[in-house]
Amino acid sequence: MRERTLERVRKLLAKAERTDNEHERATFMTAASALMAKHGIDSLPPAGTRQTPGDRVVTLPNPWAREKARLVSLVAQAVRCRPLLIGRGVEGGQRVHVFGFAADLERADLLATSLLLQMASGLARTELPEHVTAVRAYRRSWLLGFTDEVYRLLCEAESAAREQAGTGTALVLADRRAEVERVVAAHYPSIRMSVPTTSGTGYRDGVAAGRRADLGRTGMSPATAPELTPP
């Protein structure tokens, strides 16, 4: 990602992090996520340029390893990568194999690193409603709600950037998506799809927290977010 773009994103996020006003925070967050999406379009290579998709394996530790893996997967999917949940790591937890072009893999890393930390801190700050008796189910449904809302907001930003770029860009993106799928098929000829279910009552609260998430924060490094360090 270009340094100038990074600097603009950092400034927006710094403002979002300093304010206690939820309306201001949402405004800065929206601007940062839109800038990240626009960069995804601007980073497309010139017509006729050949690029090869890459891949990386992300390891998510316990607790809530499957929920963390789902967040990483949906964030990657929103920014045009192809994630696959590939099971437990050597030391437990969950692993996600993410395929995509370099610029999109970078965006997925930056967003997922930030959102994993935001999700964990948001859950820790959440006070359980008085009526809740199934605590774990509530917290799990909160995590699912947070992830679904973040995914929705990211997809909206990506869609707006595509529409602004025009129809020619849509064709380029379709070709790149097909190229990524060919690489995935070469690694995993047989893929089984799964959909998570939830029985808790925290989903709506998680959605609200996801709506307030800072979708473009880039201040973390692998050293401060070990759950994104490749094994």
Side-chain angles (χ1 to χ4, degrees):
M1 185 176 291
R2 297 170 184 172
E3 187 59 34
R4 181 178 298 179
T5 301
L6 271 177
E7 186 59 28
R8 291 176 64 189
V9 172
R10 288 191 186 105
K11 288 180 179 178
L12 285 168
L13 299 177
K15 292 178 180 179
E17 291 166 3
R18 286 195 297 264
T19 183
D20 292 329
N21 184 298
E22 288 297 329
H23 177 72
E24 290 181 352
R25 188 186 305 276
T27 299
F28 295 138
M29 176 206 73
T30 299
S33 59
L35 185 58
M36 293 280 281
K38 183 178 183 299
H39 171 75
I41 297 297
D42 292 343
S43 64
L44 293 174
T49 302
R50 177 72 175 177
Q51 290 185 334
T52 302
D55 67 291
R56 59 193 60 179
V57 175
V58 181
T59 301
L60 291 310
N62 287 310
W64 305 111
R66 289 190 66 86
E67 288 70 30
K68 291 174 184 175
R70 183 168 182 267
L71 175 67
V72 168
S73 296
L74 287 183
V75 168
Q77 185 174 312
V79 297
R80 303 198 298 271
C81 294
R82 180 68 159 90
L84 288 92
L85 184 65
I86 57 175
R88 296 183 180 277
V90 176
E91 299 180 357
Q94 294 288 328
R95 295 179 300 153
V96 180
H97 199 167
V98 183
F99 295 82
F101 289 94
D104 297 329
L105 287 171
E106 182 184 28
R107 293 195 300 145
D109 272 355
L110 292 171
L111 287 166
T113 300
S114 172
L115 289 166
L116 281 168
L117 295 175
Q118 291 186 60
M119 184 171 72
S121 62
L123 181 63
R125 291 194 306 267
T126 299
E127 295 184 3
L128 293 175
E130 293 183 358
H131 67 275
V132 171
T133 56
V135 175
R136 181 173 177 81
Y138 173 88
R139 288 175 175 164
R140 181 173 183 273
S141 62
W142 187 99
L143 294 171
L144 295 178
F146 178 95
T147 297
D148 284 354
E149 183 63 12
V150 162
Y151 175 68
R152 184 187 69 81
L153 293 173
L154 283 174
C155 287
E156 283 185 355
E158 293 290 318
S159 178
R162 287 195 302 271
E163 290 179 6
Q164 191 172 24
T167 55
T169 298
L171 295 176
V172 172
L173 293 178
D175 288 341
R176 286 165 70 86
R177 182 166 56 250
E179 185 67 25
V180 171
E181 290 295 340
R182 281 193 287 270
V183 174
V184 172
H187 278 77
Y188 301 101
S190 178
I191 299 175
R192 181 174 62 86
M193 305 297 291
S194 64
V195 178
T197 58
T198 177
S199 59
T201 58
Y203 187 89
R204 183 176 299 177
D205 293 338
V207 167
R211 191 171 298 124
R212 297 190 297 271
D214 182 347
L215 295 184
R217 184 173 178 179
T218 59
M220 271 69 69
S221 67
T224 55
E227 59 269 49
L228 276 185
T229 304

